[in-house]
């Protein structure tokens, strides 16, 4: 090179302000065609861009390993012949611009005289060579040079430097460099193999050493070879030389293996592909870096490889070759398209080049595949949005990875799976519908099953079910219908129902897909779509046993085109619904009759009595439950006493309802006989036991005497009553525990307790206070609390609330509508009214014949005081006969008691347990007519046992209309 090299004033440094022309817009490495596999293309692209940016007449790129004596020409443009040969090798210590730029790590410019070997042809006067370093962390990789006439412009330096930086970045990030983890020998080949030769490269001296095999492989005559690198580099194909130099640079900088494939020119003009492998080293005398290794001829294998690569390039599946370090050494076009459209595969680690594989832990999978020696398969969702099937197969020195695009397959499989899943779900829902219909008991249950299962099955909005009762349509249940649309058809004659008449009458399904079709078919109902909000209808007949029992109408809130499959399924479903509805109607009829029977067996009205005011409520079990055996009764007894009874036959059904009626009838009959409570329960227990071992009943009976204000109570397995005192306190009387009737062993224990005037008794069955969610003790406490009046609302005095209102309030509180009632329940409340002291008269009589006369005197005086003069004569006769019978046939002490209540009650008690009886007296008999006289003079009479004997009693109306 002629001319003068400039440093200082003759060399333009890159220290100009960055305010010049903007740096050129350079593409990223990933956008350079072939950047993943060709260093030559990288350098060629950068050089072309540099020449275009600075409007140069030519340019070149030199590369050189750190510590080497020379820089070697890698790519050039615009120079040829002697000029190109002049720049093939540049000594680092020379004054040439590329050497100065690398040496000073700054731009350098040197003038070039036209016509000399160093200058391109046609170079105008004043042209020079501007060189900039290609930066790297540990020294420039080389220099980028351009022939230009504007050396002093800082903007020109910045633009050229920007290109140099880009080239350096691309070289450092280019694919194919051995990684820093590579260790071991460069290669292991037999020394006697003629296709393998050994070489050494001394960068300090710029010389190479080849053995005979290496010279033969490279096609170099040993006698004519001068050992210089520049001589050898002329044999390397120009497109492969940059890669050879870049690999050498990388191996020296990173202390890694040197491995490269390149083509060399042969003496006959042909090309031979060889592979060079080596190891970088440095002597202790700091003489500079060296490379040493082997070179082998790979032409035959490469031809086969090229053929294989061509075949693999046409594969529809992606194929990768991965070495033992995990780096990708081969990728066909399909693999690049599927995994990395940017082309950044070759030379990169597999799980780093494809992030989707990293998230699946492919690094560990890779190790396991290599260790276990068997293929591994997995599916991934790539960054390109595709589903890929990846198969890793182990090789002796790495892996092969086969990638299949299963996006379309997965989509088809997903569609098939979705269709199959929909079919399975539909089958499951049909099975659920069938099971639900099988256990549906009432018509309301059937309609609920349709709303719960059939409406979602077809994606509908609502359903309504009507039945045919005597030619009229009655709604059984609905969901998703407005009240206005429902009331329009309730109770209407079927023959007048335009929309459903033919379905009712002919049993033909109607499928209406749009509002327009509905209005066109039924113009008189044109407002129904607006009222109901429906836009499509499936009107299905319910046909069972050959006749129509009703219709089901399923509606949609959008137009719906009914497919043939849906029509078939609707028709089949309507048959199952019809069978369930027919069973439900039979059950409803039987259930209704049983409830009517049960209500008929209970008291229609409660008697109006002086001793108590009563009210009662009976609540049957919810829909779907059989009738129960709960019952209650209020039985008037003698002497203004009253018996309050309540019971529960265990179980549900018509048989239990009949048993309840038997118990109530037997209890009333025995109570009329004035038997003591323990004897009454003894006889009832015998009756229940006679019905069978599976019959049991609980019962509670309380007898209230308004004169003494005493209650005698007995229970057989029944919960105790609640007592609400006038002061608002409540308590449960402590009653003896007896077993339920049918399982009890007599005798039965009784208890007594007194009640003040105005106290409230509440008798109940367990269905009112116990459920699956509520313990009976907690339920009893709730009942006691709800008997109080101290609740939000108007404040009222205790005892003034009507008993009917009290019953309604308690039942509503304890049995809310939303609760499923599984047991019937009964509630009987009674407010007691004691007899005033002035309405009671009681005297002890002597046990002798004078007792009758004394009794008449007491009667005359007391009835006069009560203003009952019209009853004096009759009552004197009755008392005289009763006391006389005691004196003659029984024993004292004798007690006379008069009660003024609804009637005039006259009682005579004695200590004899012998009961009198009416007998027919002959005309000649002198006795036996006393009881007949008493029966004739009174409205009722009788006798009952007491704790000390017996009591004979009579009742007379408090009017002048005495019996004749």
């Amino acid at each position: 090179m002629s001319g003068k090299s400039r440093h200082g004033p003759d060399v333009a440094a890159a220290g100009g302000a960055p305010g010049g022309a903007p740096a050129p817009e350079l593409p990223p490495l990933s956008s350079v065609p072939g950047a993943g596999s060709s260093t030559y293309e990288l350098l060629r692209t950068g050089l072309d861009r540099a020449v275009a940016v600075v409007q140069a007449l030519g340019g070149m790129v030199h590369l050189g390993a750190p510590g080497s004596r020379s820089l070697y020409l890698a790519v050039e443009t615009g120079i040829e012949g002697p000029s190109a040969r002049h720049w093939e090798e540049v000594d680092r210590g020379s004054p040439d611009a590329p050497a100065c730029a690398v040496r000073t790590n700054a731009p350098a410019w040197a003038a070039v005289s036209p016509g000399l070997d160093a200058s391109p042809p046609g170079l105008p006067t004043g042209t020079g060579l501007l060189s900039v370093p290609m930066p790297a962390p540990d020294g420039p990789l080389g220099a980028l040079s351009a022939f230009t006439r504007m050396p002093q412009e800082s903007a020109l330096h910045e633009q050229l430097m920007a290109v140099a930086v880009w080239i350096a970045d691309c070289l450092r990030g280019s694919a194919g460099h051995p990684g820093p983890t590579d260790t071991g020998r460069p290669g292991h080949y037999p020394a006697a193999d003629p296709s393998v030769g050994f070489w050494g490269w001394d960068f300090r001296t710029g010389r190479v050493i080849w053995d005979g095999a290496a010279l033969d492989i490279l096609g170099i005559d040993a006698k004519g070879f001068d050992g210089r690198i520049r001589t050898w580099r002329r044999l390397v194909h120009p497109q492969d030389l940059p890669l050879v130099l870049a690999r050498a640079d990388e191996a020296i900088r990173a202390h890694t293996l040197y491995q490269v494939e390149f083509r060399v020119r042969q003496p006959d003009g042909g090309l031979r592909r060889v592979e060079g492998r080596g190891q970088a080293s440095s002597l202790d005398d700091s003489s500079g870096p060296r490379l040493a290794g082997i070179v082998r001829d790979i032409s035959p294998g490469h031809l086969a490889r090229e053929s294989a690569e061509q075949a693999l390039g046409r594969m529809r599946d992606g194929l990768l070759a991965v070495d033992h370090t995990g780096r990708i050494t081969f990728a066909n076009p399909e693999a690049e398209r599927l995994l990395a459209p940017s082309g950044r595969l070759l030379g990169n680690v597999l799980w780093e080049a494809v992030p989707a594989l990293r998230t699946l832990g492919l690094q560990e999978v890779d190790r396991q595949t290599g260790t276990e020696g068997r293929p591994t398969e997995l599916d991934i969702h790539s960054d390109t949005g595709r589903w890929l099937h990846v198969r890793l197969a182990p090789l002796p020195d790495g892996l092969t990875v086969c990638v299949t695009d299963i996006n379309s397959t997965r989509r088809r499989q997903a569609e098939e799976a979705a269709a199959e899943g929909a079919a399975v779900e539909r089958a499951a829902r049909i099975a659920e519908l069938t099971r639900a219909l099988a256990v549906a008991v009432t018509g309301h249950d059937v309609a609920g099953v349709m709303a719960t299962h059939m409406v979602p099955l077809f994606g509908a909005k609502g359903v309504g079910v009507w039945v045919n009762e005597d030619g009229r349509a009655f709604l059984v249940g609905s969901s998703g219908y407005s009240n206005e649309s429902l009331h329009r058809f309730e109770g209407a004659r079927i023959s007048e129902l335009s929309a459903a008449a033919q379905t009712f009458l002919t049993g033909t399904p109607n499928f209406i897909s749009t509002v327009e079709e509905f209005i066109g078919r039924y113009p008189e109902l044109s407002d129904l779509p607006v009222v109901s909000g429906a836009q499509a209808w499936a009107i299905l007949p319910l046909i069972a046993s050959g006749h129509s029992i009703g219709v089901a109408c399923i509606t949609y809130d959008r137009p719906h085109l009914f497919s043939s499959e849906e029509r078939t399924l609707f028709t089949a479903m309507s048959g199952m619904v019809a069978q369930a509805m027919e069973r439900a109607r039979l059950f409803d009829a039987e259930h209704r009759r049983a409830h009517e029977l049960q209500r008929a067996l209970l008291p229609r009205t409660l008697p109006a009595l002086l001793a108590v005011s009563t009210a009662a409520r009976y609540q049957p079990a919810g829909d779907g439950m059989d009738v129960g055996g709960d019952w209650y009764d209020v039985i008037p007894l003698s002497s203004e006493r009253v018996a309050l009874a309540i019971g529960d036959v265990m179980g549900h059904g018509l048989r239990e309802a009949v048993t309840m009626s038997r118990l109530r009838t037997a209890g009333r009959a025995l109570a009329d006989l004035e038997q003591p409570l323990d004897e009454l329960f003894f006889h009832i227990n015998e009756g229940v036991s006679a019905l069978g071992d599976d019959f049991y009943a609980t019962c509670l009976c309380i007898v209230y005497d308004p004169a003494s204000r005493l209650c005698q109570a007995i229970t057989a397995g029944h919960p105790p009553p609640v007592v609400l005192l006038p002061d608002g306190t409540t308590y449960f009387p402590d009653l003896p525990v007896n077993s339920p009737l049918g399982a009890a062993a007599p005798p039965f224990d009784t208890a007594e307790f007194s009640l003040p005037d105005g106290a409230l008794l509440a008798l109940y069955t367990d269905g009112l206070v116990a459920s699956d969610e509520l313990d009976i003790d907690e339920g009893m406490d709730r009942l006691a609390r709800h008997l109080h009046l101290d609740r939000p609302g108007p404040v009222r005095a205790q005892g003034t609330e009507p008993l009917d209102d009290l019953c309604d309030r308690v039942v509503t509180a304890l049995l809310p509508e939303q609760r499923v009632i599984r047991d019937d329940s009964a509630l009987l409340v009674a407010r007691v009214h004691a007899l005033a002291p002035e309405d009671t008269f009681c005297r002890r009589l002597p046990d002798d014949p004078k007792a009758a006369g004394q009794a008449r005197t007491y009667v005359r005086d007391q009835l006069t005081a009560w203003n009952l003069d019209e009853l004096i004569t009759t009552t004197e006769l009755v008392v005289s006969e009763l006391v006389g019978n005691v004196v003659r046939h029984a024993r004292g002490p004798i007690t006379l008691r008069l009660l003024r209540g609804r009637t005039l009650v006259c009682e005579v008690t004695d200590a004899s347990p012998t009961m009198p009886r009416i007998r027919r007296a002959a005309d000649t008999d002198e006795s036996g007519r006393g009881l007949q006289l008493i029966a004739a003079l009174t409205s009722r009479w009788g006798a009952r046992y007491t704790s000390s004997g017996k009591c004979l009693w009579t009742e007379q109306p408090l009017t002048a209309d005495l019996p004749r």
Side-chain angles (χ1 to χ4, degrees):
M1 173 181 178
S2 62
K4 187 166 62 173
S5 173
R6 296 185 184 180
H7 300 278
D10 294 334
V11 178
E25 293 289 337
L26 294 170
L29 172 63
S30 60
S31 65
V32 178
S37 59
S38 175
T39 305
Y40 175 80
E41 293 293 337
L42 285 175
L43 298 179
R44 170 61 63 187
T45 301
L47 181 59
D48 292 344
R49 180 61 60 89
V51 171
V53 166
V54 301
Q55 299 179 356
L57 303 175
M60 50 192 170
V61 175
H62 285 84
L63 298 176
S68 63
R69 190 186 68 177
S70 303
L71 298 174
Y72 301 97
L73 180 64
V75 181
E76 75 282 343
T77 182
I79 60 175
E80 57 188 13
S83 298
R85 286 191 295 273
H86 177 82
W87 294 107
E88 284 181 352
E89 182 176 351
V90 176
D91 190 286
R92 286 179 179 264
S94 72
D96 292 332
C100 292
V102 171
R103 198 167 54 246
T104 63
N105 199 20
W109 185 83
V112 179
S113 299
L116 299 180
D117 291 342
S119 62
L123 193 69
T125 303
T127 302
L129 183 64
L130 176 63
S131 299
V132 295
M134 294 186 296
D138 51 356
L141 300 175
L144 170 64
S145 304
F147 291 96
T148 178
R149 299 177 63 185
M150 299 173 288
Q152 302 301 330
E153 294 186 9
S154 60
L156 186 67
H157 297 173
E158 293 176 8
Q159 292 174 345
L160 195 61
M161 193 66 194
V163 178
V165 170
W166 179 83
I167 293 176
D169 291 341
C170 290
L171 285 176
R172 289 198 303 273
S174 63
H177 291 251
T181 59
D182 291 340
T183 59
R185 302 291 300 169
H188 302 279
Y189 301 99
D193 189 348
S195 63
V196 177
F198 293 88
W199 57 271
W201 187 350
D202 188 337
F203 286 91
R204 184 183 64 83
T205 62
R207 300 186 64 83
V208 292
I209 301 173
W210 306 91
D211 67 357
L215 293 175
D216 291 341
I217 292 173
L218 296 176
I220 300 175
D221 184 4
K223 297 180 180 180
F225 180 58
D226 59 4
R228 295 176 58 84
I229 293 178
R230 65 182 304 168
T231 304
W232 163 79
R233 65 174 297 281
R234 291 174 182 171
L235 299 177
V236 180
H237 193 284
Q239 292 187 357
D240 295 343
L241 182 60
L243 180 62
V244 173
L245 298 177
R247 290 288 177 83
D249 179 83
E250 177 69 18
I252 293 173
R253 292 176 183 271
H255 299 285
T256 58
L257 287 177
Y258 171 72
Q259 180 178 351
V260 66
E261 293 182 12
F262 56 95
R263 292 165 292 179
V264 293
R265 297 186 180 95
Q266 298 296 296
D268 58 1
L271 294 174
R272 174 177 294 181
R273 181 170 291 275
V274 299
E275 178 189 30
R277 293 191 181 187
Q279 179 73 45
S281 63
S282 179
L283 298 178
D284 295 337
D285 58 2
S286 302
S287 59
R290 290 177 174 82
L291 279 178
I294 57 97
V295 62
R296 68 188 184 102
D297 185 2
I298 60 172
S299 296
H302 185 75
L303 292 176
R305 177 177 176 180
E306 287 183 344
S307 300
E309 288 183 356
Q310 292 177 1
L312 295 175
R314 291 191 291 268
M315 286 181 60
R316 299 184 62 181
D317 293 338
L319 187 67
L320 301 174
V322 182
D323 64 16
H324 67 282
T325 66
R327 292 186 180 273
I328 301 171
T329 59
F330 172 79
N332 69 346
E334 183 65 10
E336 294 180 348
R337 184 184 71 85
L338 294 177
L339 294 176
S342 62
R344 294 295 300 274
L345 284 179
L346 288 178
N348 289 313
V349 179
L350 176 60
W351 44 86
E352 293 179 355
V354 185
L357 297 176
R358 186 188 311 120
T359 60
L360 297 176
L362 185 63
Q363 185 173 3
E364 183 63 27
V365 173
D366 179 14
R367 292 196 184 98
Q368 293 178 0
T369 301
T371 302
E372 299 176 3
R374 55 185 177 85
T376 301
E377 299 186 17
L378 65 160
D379 292 347
I380 66 170
H381 192 259
S382 69
D383 295 341
T384 60
R386 295 184 177 90
W387 276 101
L388 304 176
H389 180 74
V390 180
R391 186 176 189 273
L392 294 86
L395 293 175
D397 58 350
L399 293 172
T400 59
V401 181
C402 183
V403 183
T404 304
D405 185 359
I406 60 172
N407 206 47
S408 58
T409 305
R410 180 64 62 86
R411 186 184 305 110
R412 183 176 64 256
Q413 292 175 347
E415 292 173 354
E416 293 175 355
E420 182 179 355
V424 171
E425 182 180 3
R426 173 169 289 188
R429 289 191 175 185
I430 292 175
E432 292 177 0
L433 172 65
T434 304
R435 288 193 296 267
L437 288 175
V439 299
V441 177
T442 66
H444 188 268
D445 291 343
V446 174
V449 168
M450 293 188 69
T452 303
H453 298 279
M454 199 166 179
V455 169
L457 175 63
F458 293 98
K461 168 197 172 186
V463 62
V465 182
W466 287 265
V467 294
N468 182 354
E469 297 287 352
D470 300 326
R472 292 182 177 272
F474 291 96
L475 180 68
V476 176
S478 67
S479 174
Y481 274 81
S482 63
N483 292 332
E484 184 177 353
S485 60
L486 291 174
H487 294 158
R488 175 173 299 192
F489 304 106
E490 181 68 14
R493 290 190 176 277
I494 295 176
S495 58
E496 299 173 357
L497 292 176
S498 301
Q502 52 188 310
T503 304
F504 267 113
L505 300 176
T506 67
T508 303
N510 288 333
F511 298 98
I512 305 172
S513 299
T514 62
V515 174
E516 293 74 14
E517 182 182 353
F518 182 89
I519 296 176
R521 192 177 295 187
Y522 312 111
E524 65 276 11
L525 297 176
S526 58
D527 64 325
L528 188 59
V530 177
V531 172
S532 63
Q535 298 189 39
W537 296 260
I539 305 174
L540 308 173
L542 303 180
I543 300 175
S545 302
H547 65 279
S548 177
I549 63 172
V551 64
C553 183
I554 296 178
T555 60
Y556 293 78
D557 57 1
R558 63 191 182 283
H560 183 80
L561 183 62
F562 295 92
S563 64
S564 58
E565 181 183 359
E566 281 184 314
R567 293 171 184 253
T568 302
L569 195 55
F570 268 125
T571 304
M573 294 291 98
S574 65
M576 292 193 301
V577 172
Q579 295 296 329
M581 184 60 71
E582 180 73 359
R583 294 193 305 269
R585 293 179 68 193
L586 295 176
F587 176 84
D588 287 341
E590 180 182 355
H591 194 64
R592 187 167 52 252
R593 288 191 296 269
H595 276 295
E596 291 175 354
L597 173 62
Q598 187 177 37
R599 289 190 179 277
L601 297 177
L602 293 173
R604 292 184 177 273
T605 59
L606 297 178
L609 302 175
L610 177 68
V612 292
S613 300
T614 57
R617 291 292 182 272
Y618 172 77
Q619 183 68 35
D623 291 341
M625 304 300 295
D626 289 332
V627 295
D630 290 13
W631 59 278
Y632 60 88
D633 205 351
V634 178
I635 307 172
L637 301 177
S638 61
S639 305
E640 299 295 349
R641 295 176 307 129
V642 61
L644 306 174
I646 194 167
D648 182 6
V649 178
M650 297 183 183
H652 295 86
L654 192 60
R655 186 177 64 167
E656 282 71 17
V658 173
T659 303
M660 175 270 293
S661 176
R662 289 179 178 179
L663 291 182
R664 177 172 172 259
T665 302
R668 179 173 280 271
L670 293 172
D672 286 341
L673 294 177
E674 298 280 356
Q675 291 203 351
L677 287 180
D678 55 346
E679 292 188 18
L680 184 145
F681 268 50
F682 169 80
H683 292 295
I684 296 178
N685 181 64
E686 291 293 317
V688 174
S689 298
L691 296 177
D693 294 338
D694 56 344
F695 277 91
Y696 301 96
T698 64
C699 186
L700 170 65
C701 185
I702 299 175
V703 175
Y704 173 65
D705 186 349
S708 64
R709 303 184 181 185
L710 289 178
C711 288
Q712 187 180 23
I714 187 171
T715 178
H718 204 87
V722 185
V723 176
L724 175 63
L725 299 177
D727 62 1
T729 60
T730 59
Y731 72 95
F732 293 90
D734 186 13
L735 303 182
V737 178
N738 296 305
S739 299
L741 300 174
F748 290 88
D749 296 325
T750 62
E752 285 188 354
F753 56 91
S754 61
L755 291 179
D757 186 31
L760 189 74
L761 275 171
L763 289 71
Y764 52 92
T765 59
D766 59 351
L768 186 68
V769 295
S771 65
D772 295 340
E773 302 84 15
L774 187 65
D775 181 76
I776 188 171
D777 293 331
E778 183 181 353
M780 292 168 60
D781 292 339
R782 291 183 60 195
L783 172 61
R785 290 195 302 270
H786 284 293
L787 288 176
H788 284 286
L789 288 176
D790 53 350
R791 63 192 187 285
V795 178
R796 290 177 287 181
Q798 179 68 37
T800 61
E801 182 180 16
L803 295 184
D804 284 325
D805 294 347
L806 174 63
C807 287
D808 292 338
R809 178 169 60 80
V810 171
V811 171
T812 301
L814 297 181
L815 301 176
E817 293 183 0
Q818 63 270 20
R819 174 176 147 189
V820 178
I821 302 176
R822 302 187 181 277
D823 192 10
D824 55 343
S825 58
L827 174 66
L828 173 63
V829 295
R831 182 171 288 120
V832 299
H833 308 294
L835 283 176
E838 58 269 19
D839 291 329
T840 302
F841 176 81
C842 184
R843 290 292 186 271
R844 172 70 67 86
L845 298 177
D847 189 10
D848 57 44
K850 296 179 181 179
Q854 190 173 355
R856 288 193 294 272
T857 301
Y858 288 149
V859 167
R860 188 182 309 112
D861 294 342
Q862 189 60 41
L863 293 186
T864 300
W866 284 345
N867 296 319
L868 297 176
D869 296 336
E870 67 275 12
L871 297 179
I872 292 176
T873 302
T874 304
T875 306
E876 285 180 343
L877 290 175
V878 171
V879 169
S880 180
E881 182 64 30
L882 293 176
V883 173
N885 283 337
V886 172
V887 172
R888 288 193 297 269
H889 304 293
R891 65 179 183 272
I894 305 172
T895 302
L896 171 67
R897 188 171 72 162
L898 300 177
L899 303 176
R900 182 177 63 174
R902 293 178 302 112
T903 61
L904 176 62
V905 179
C906 179
E907 295 180 346
V908 175
T909 61
D910 59 50
S912 173
T914 304
M915 284 291 181
R917 59 185 181 88
I918 296 179
R919 59 188 180 89
R920 187 180 298 276
D923 295 341
T924 57
D925 290 342
E926 295 182 358
S927 62
R929 298 180 178 85
L931 293 181
Q932 294 179 1
L933 177 63
I934 291 174
L937 295 177
T938 61
S939 59
R940 293 177 65 217
W941 76 277
R944 65 176 183 271
Y945 288 105
T946 65
S947 58
S948 59
K950 66 177 180 297
C951 173
L952 280 73
W953 56 268
T954 64
E955 291 183 1
Q956 301 176 72
L958 297 180
T959 64
D961 298 330
L962 297 176
R964 294 180 172 82

